[in-house]
Amino acid sequence: MDDISGFKDISPTTLADLLGRGQVMDAGIRPLWPSGLRVAGPAFTVRCPPGDNLMLHAAIHRAGPGSVIVIEAGDADYALAGGNVCAVAQRRGVAAFVTNGVIRDLAEVRDMGFPVFATGVVPFPGTKKAVTPLNEPVRCGGVTVNAGDVVVADEEGIVVTPAARREQVLTDARAKAAKEDAETLDAWESAHRARIDKILAENGYAG
């Protein structure tokens, strides 16, 4: 959808300023290799209990093209996915994985260029036994994510825009970005110093 694809032009920093800390995932969830790539798409949500990855493996065949699969992992001791799972997800048009868990086969995944935002890498896989509902609310990186929420992720971080607010947030983000682009560094510096000096004076700092 147009109002989702437009989020690819918006930095997570801009969205974070608009949405607040509660919609920003923890710093521990990072891209697993350096990249300037930004992904943006509707969340397809998955919950995997400790030591199990069945439902992520199910999700790659059910998530629509452009989806960001967001996985609430029960632990970081067992890999949720490896090279083949990421390859199939990529083939089916999934935009990225975002998880508080870990994956394996990092070299393969990096070589194919499939974006994974996770807490790390572990070479041992989980089991495939636990069936849980797909597209239910999950908690990932300190943020509650619902199916259809807009996930924007790059090297600056990961921000989740609630689906019900996405049109207004995109409008506000575009306006904020345009205003910042039009402001010179000299103008920013002058306004910034005035604001900081005012705060210092109000708090009794005379230096």
Side-chain angles (χ1 to χ4, degrees), residues 55-80:
M55 296 315 295
L56 172 56
H57 289 237
I60 65 170
H61 300 288
R62 291 162 174 79
S67 298
V68 176
I69 297 183
V70 180
I71 312 106
E72 178 185 335
D75 59 46
D77 298 319
Y78 298 88
L80 293 166

Side-chain angles (χ1 to χ4, degrees), residues 97-196:
F97 290 167
V98 173
T99 180
N100 60 336
V102 295
I103 69 159
R104 67 177 190 165
D105 300 332
L106 177 59
E108 290 180 38
V109 180
R110 180 178 60 234
D111 288 347
M112 72 180 72
F114 181 69
V116 177
F117 298 79
T119 60
V121 180
V122 167
F124 195 76
T127 60
K128 296 171 181 60
K129 296 179 181 178
V131 176
T132 60
L134 294 171
N135 276 331
E136 294 290 314
V138 299
R139 188 79 175 166
C140 184
V143 179
T144 298
V145 185
N146 293 279
D149 288 350
V150 182
V151 181
V152 177
D154 66 15
E155 61 190 3
E156 297 290 342
I158 306 159
V159 182
V160 180
T161 299
R165 298 176 59 192
R166 70 188 185 200
E167 291 184 15
Q168 187 60 55
V169 168
L170 182 57
T171 297
D172 292 345
R174 284 171 167 163
K176 179 175 171 59
K179 180 180 178 181
E180 291 172 350
D181 287 345
E183 185 177 41
T184 66
L185 180 58
D186 287 344
W188 184 92
E189 181 183 8
S190 178
H192 177 260
R193 177 162 187 173
R195 180 166 65 93
I196 297 303

